Amino acid sequence: MREGHRGTGPGIITPDGCAVELYDRLGVGPEPDIITAAVPAGATILELGSGAGRVTHPLVERGFAVTAVDESPEMLERVRGARRTVAAPIERLALGEEFDVVTLASFLIHTSDPTWVRARPMA
Ligand SMILES: C[S@@+](CC[C@H](N)C(=O)[O-])C[C@H]1O[C@@H](n2cnc3c(N)ncnc32)[C@H](O)[C@@H]1O
């Protein structure tokens, strides 16, 4: 478990506290529509912390070329249709390529670090 993170739930828990089974079953919100409205059709997207593909899959269905990065191989096993999946901590990513768009969705929700909790959007 990453320092300052915690989490409970069914099945495997990722180092930042996410229950893989839960994220595999969660429905998507407005994120794919927001991204689609903001970026060129067919853009290359680097999705950091993709999880099980909750946002990845609708982006792929909309024709984007998504590279999905997550440090949890159990999350990435559930990602379908991505141009590439990369199992790595974001802090050590060195892909050697450029992307039109970089996304980072639902990322700090399990941290208990007060600095990051302040940075979290409170919906
Ligand atoms: C709260 S989940 C959100 C998943 C997905 N973005 C979504 O919205 O459904 C956060 C994901 O980020 C991954 N993650 C957290 N910190 C990471 C890091 N430093 N490097 C790579 N992946 C990380 C976790 O393994 C987890 O799958």
Side-chain angles (χ1 to χ4, degrees):
M1 191 65 62
R2 282 178 176 267
E3 195 179 334
H5 288 72
R6 56 192 154 76
T8 60
I12 292 168
I13 304 294
T14 61
D16 75 328
C18 295
V20 174
E21 294 300 328
L22 173 69
Y23 279 89
D24 197 22
R25 293 178 203 178
L26 269 184
V28 75
E31 301 95 326
D33 290 334
I34 293 168
I35 295 168
T36 301
V39 309
T44 56
I45 298 180
L46 175 62
E47 187 187 8
L48 299 173
S50 66
R54 189 179 67 89
V55 179
T56 321
H57 298 145
L59 291 176
V60 168
E61 285 163 15
R62 287 164 168 76
F64 295 107
V66 183
T67 295
V69 175
D70 204 289
E71 67 181 348
S72 163
E74 293 86 1
M75 285 285 198
L76 286 180
E77 274 172 17
R78 290 156 165 85
V79 173
R80 302 176 308 278
R83 188 180 68 152
R84 183 180 172 193
T85 59
V86 180
I90 293 164
E91 298 87 333
R92 293 207 289 274
L93 260 193
L95 298 178
E97 58 179 306
E98 294 186 355
F99 298 86
D100 300 320
V101 178
V102 179
T103 67
L104 182 75
S106 305
F107 197 72
L108 296 170
I109 59 176
H110 297 290
T111 184
S112 56
D113 181 322
T115 309
W116 290 114
V117 169
R118 277 200 302 276
R120 268 188 332 213
M122 306 300 284

